[in-house]
Amino acid sequence: MQTLVVDHPLVAHKLTMLRDAATQAPTFRRLADELVTLLAYEAMREMRVRPVMVNTPLCPAAGVKLADPDPLVVPVLRAGIGMLDGMARLLPTADVGFVGMVRDEESLVASTYADRLPGDLSGREVFVLDPMLATGGTLETVINMAADRGAAAVTAVCLLAAPEGVARLESAFPADDPVRVRVVTAAVDERLNDRGYIIPGLGDAGDRLFGVI
Ligand code: URA
């Protein structure tokens, strides 16, 4: 697995505002949306393209288009929904699948309550949206779901990551894994606390996006 921490002043600025407990939900949602678009730009750097010719007003010109098949974007419910618009802005033709995961607050083990992914992902690039890579349990499960259905590459786009989660995914998906797995994030923080929250982090991403339910 490869981890890319996007090093850019705009990314750092928006992440700092997301961390701030004084940032209210409407601003938090807008910032998360903008930050995802910046991360998505980097996440798509290795997308496959095919050569095409177009006619400019003056003459033919060689260029590229994104290769078929269309990529699949998978927000992990619920917090990943807050990342979908920012991603779809750059990839409007992508299909969207959904996975619902809930984590037991005592054991911190994540279990699947919804699986709305295509049965066959042969050769497709998959972008998984999950704001917080904490223990890594959720992303390990979702990446395996995509890999088992034939995905060629899986990129997880996360606002923030913990070293524990990155290490777990690195051991689950070693560099020679047949599926190319990458994590793109704005920062890898210090650690997890005993409740599985990222420190310093930004709190519960779902609650900050959508409120406490
Ligand atoms: N999920 C969150 O929303 N926040 C964390 O810090 C860890 C997991």
Side-chain angles (χ1 to χ4, degrees):
M1 187 195 78
Q2 283 183 327
T3 305
L4 174 65
V5 179
V6 179
D7 179 17
H8 191 288
L10 269 180
V11 168
H13 169 81
K14 291 179 194 302
L15 176 61
T16 304
M17 292 178 71
L18 286 174
R19 290 187 191 280
D20 190 341
T23 301
Q24 297 297 308
T27 311
F28 191 96
R29 275 199 289 273
R30 182 178 52 75
L31 285 165
D33 177 77
E34 292 168 359
L35 183 52
V36 170
T37 302
L38 295 172
L39 297 179
Y41 177 76
E42 287 298 332
M44 292 173 201
R45 187 171 285 285
E46 292 177 16
M47 279 185 78
R48 289 168 304 174
V49 292
R50 63 184 166 87
V52 292
M53 291 298 294
V54 293
N55 293 312
T56 78
L58 301 175
C59 64
V64 298
K65 283 197 170 169
L66 294 183
D68 291 331
D70 280 335
L72 181 76
V73 176
V74 182
V76 179
L77 305 176
R78 129 182 108 130
I81 288 288
M83 302 172 73
L84 182 56
D85 284 353
M87 188 79 187
R89 191 170 295 123
L90 295 191
L91 268 186
T93 60
D95 295 329
V96 180
F98 295 91
V99 174
M101 301 283 302
V102 64
R103 132 174 131 152
D104 182 288
E105 291 305 327
E106 299 234 319
S107 66
L108 302 183
V109 174
S111 55
T112 310
Y113 68 85
D115 170 358
R116 302 296 295 165
L117 295 183
D120 181 11
L121 291 173
S122 301
R124 292 182 78 172
E125 301 200 33
V126 175
F127 294 92
V128 181
L129 310 179
D130 193 4
M132 308 299 270
L133 167 50
T135 64
T138 294
L139 276 177
E140 184 179 350
T141 302
V142 179
I143 293 168
N144 274 324
M145 287 164 81
D148 290 348
R149 294 166 204 213
V154 183
T155 301
V157 181
C158 306
L159 302 181
L160 260 184
E164 293 90 335
V166 172
R168 177 171 177 163
L169 294 186
E170 272 169 357
S171 82
F173 306 104
D176 58 357
D177 198 271
V179 182
R180 194 159 45 92
V181 176
R182 293 195 314 146
V183 169
V184 178
T185 185
V188 179
D189 272 5
E190 286 169 32
R191 62 185 171 85
L192 292 180
N193 71 8
D194 57 3
R195 293 174 54 226
Y197 280 87
I198 299 176
I199 301 296
L202 51 75
D204 186 303
D207 288 353
R208 296 203 60 196
L209 283 162
F210 303 121
V212 183
I213 53 168

